[in-house]
Amino acid sequence: MDFATIIEILDSAVRLGTPLLLACLAGLFSERAGIFDIGLEGKMLMAAFFSGAVAAVTGNAWLGLLAGIGGSMSLAMVHGLASITFRGNQLISGVAVNFLASGFTVLIAQSWFQQGGRTPQLSGNGRFEPITLPGAEAVKDVPVIGQIYSNLISGHSILVYVAFAMVPLTWWVLFRTRFGLRLRAVGENPESVDTAGVSVIRLRYTAVAITGALAGLAGTYLATGLAAGFVKEMTAGRGYIALAALIFAKWRPVPALGATMLFGLLEAISNRYPNIDLGVVNLPIQFMQAVPYILTVVILAGFIGKAIPPRAGGQPYVKER
């Protein structure tokens, strides 16, 4: 395996890991506030459909982005209404969101476009095209550093750079601002936050809204950046993988970056090498494609260290009279 091949695999890992990273950060805000959200899959799917549909109709990827975020946030508010206002079971609400998005997107896509649950193929301004960073062409022939800059760092769509920028921004918001302190406190001890005169309900709804926006970015990237339109069930379990990465990262933004890129790398390797011959045994393509999901099960089973969720996670808050 030469250096150019390694760069290609890493480049693919970044592209495949980006929607996982955005979804993982989305879940981070929600769960830090005490709202478990397994509906990330549904929010991403809804965002992918609306972004793909609007971009196909208007030919404008930015309008598609707004539509995708709007579609995701609408489901986020449904989840918030069920979990916060009506104090329902958060896991059941998340499952309901996933089922709703799965059926709704295919039904509306078929009704609008009559293409078997797909949106029309996107091209031109309907997609977020790769961006060539300054100096990338000039240094592309420079060994190692030039190749890394021109072929790995440069050449991604704007949503990829937004996703990476969200990691330090999320860290700063959660650990260096008053809002972040209150948000984390709501997930650990909402009674103390309420006693301090801060609205627990408002903070949790804010966290759910941020989750919807970030999941909307993730779904939009799937339809207008990674692919060229919406197809049925195109999220393919990425929402659940993002949740596994969140647990792996122990609800921290910087480790979340490493966890999601690890999943992206595994998928990139499985795409690049469908069959791997280990001499004694030949690993088939089905095994390689299943590796990210196997790792998800391993993480959720608790084999990768002990991950302690926010103490008030999953518990509806009832204000004391």
Side-chain angles (χ1 to χ4, degrees):
M1 183 185 298
D2 59 6
F3 186 71
T5 302
I6 294 175
I7 292 295
E8 290 177 3
I9 293 174
L10 292 177
D11 178 71
S12 179
V14 168
R15 298 176 193 274
L16 294 169
T18 294
L20 298 178
L21 175 59
L22 287 167
C24 187
L25 294 177
L28 176 61
F29 276 97
S30 179
E31 299 205 3
R32 277 287 189 173
I35 303 297
F36 287 162
D37 192 354
I38 63 173
L40 292 175
E41 180 86 0
K43 296 181 185 67
M44 291 172 65
L45 193 61
M46 189 71 82
F49 166 70
F50 276 108
S51 62
V54 172
V57 172
T58 64
N60 190 314
W62 291 101
L63 291 178
L65 173 61
L66 293 177
I69 292 176
S72 176
M73 289 189 70
S74 65
L75 285 186
M77 289 301 103
V78 170
H79 181 58
L81 190 66
S83 302
I84 302 171
T85 301
F86 295 119
R87 303 169 190 155
N89 187 293
Q90 296 173 11
L91 299 181
I92 294 176
S93 175
V95 171
V97 164
N98 290 338
F99 281 127
L100 174 62
S102 178
F104 180 85
T105 52
V106 175
L107 177 66
I108 301 301
Q110 178 61 22
S111 175
W112 287 359
F113 302 109
Q114 289 83 44
Q115 295 188 14
R118 305 166 61 99
T119 61
Q121 193 83 357
L122 300 179
S123 60
N125 293 330
R127 296 190 66 202
F128 286 102
E129 298 292 343
I131 298 174
T132 301
L133 297 180
E137 290 296 325
V139 302
K140 66 179 181 180
D141 294 326
V142 177
V144 184
I145 296 177
Q147 290 176 286
I148 292 175
Y149 181 71
S150 62
N151 297 326
L152 179 58
I153 299 176
S154 179
H156 298 285
S157 74
I158 189 171
L159 294 183
V160 174
Y161 300 112
V162 168
F164 277 83
M166 286 302 302
V167 175
L169 179 60
T170 298
W171 176 86
W172 180 78
V173 168
L174 285 177
F175 298 100
R176 289 295 183 270
T177 67
R178 181 180 297 178
F179 168 75
L181 175 62
R182 290 174 173 176
L183 190 74
R184 288 183 288 121
V186 163
E188 295 291 341
N189 192 344
E191 291 82 5
S192 64
V193 175
D194 194 15
T195 302
V198 179
S199 173
V200 173
I201 302 300
R202 185 175 66 248
L203 276 172
R204 286 189 166 180
Y205 264 111
T206 302
V208 167
I210 295 173
T211 297
L214 289 173
L217 286 174
T220 299
Y221 175 73
L222 283 177
T224 61
L226 192 62
F230 172 82
V231 296
K232 178 182 178 181
E233 304 291 355
M234 72 180 305
T235 48
R238 286 181 173 89
Y240 300 109
I241 293 178
L243 282 176
L246 182 60
I247 296 171
F248 189 18
K250 297 180 180 179
W251 293 272
R252 292 174 295 170
V254 176
L257 171 61
T260 52
M261 289 302 117
L262 173 61
F263 280 108
L265 178 62
L266 291 173
E267 188 174 353
I269 293 174
S270 68
N271 292 340
R272 180 82 182 192
Y273 300 104
N275 297 282
I276 294 183
D277 188 1
L278 299 179
V280 179
V281 63
N282 182 49
L283 299 179
I285 182 174
Q286 291 83 1
F287 177 81
M288 294 305 300
Q289 291 175 339
V291 165
Y293 303 96
I294 294 173
L295 182 59
T296 300
V297 173
V298 170
I299 290 173
L300 293 177
F303 293 112
I304 314 293
K306 186 177 182 180
I308 302 175
R311 283 187 298 174
Q315 302 173 11
Y317 178 68
V318 181
K319 185 179 179 68
E320 293 183 2
R321 298 293 181 182

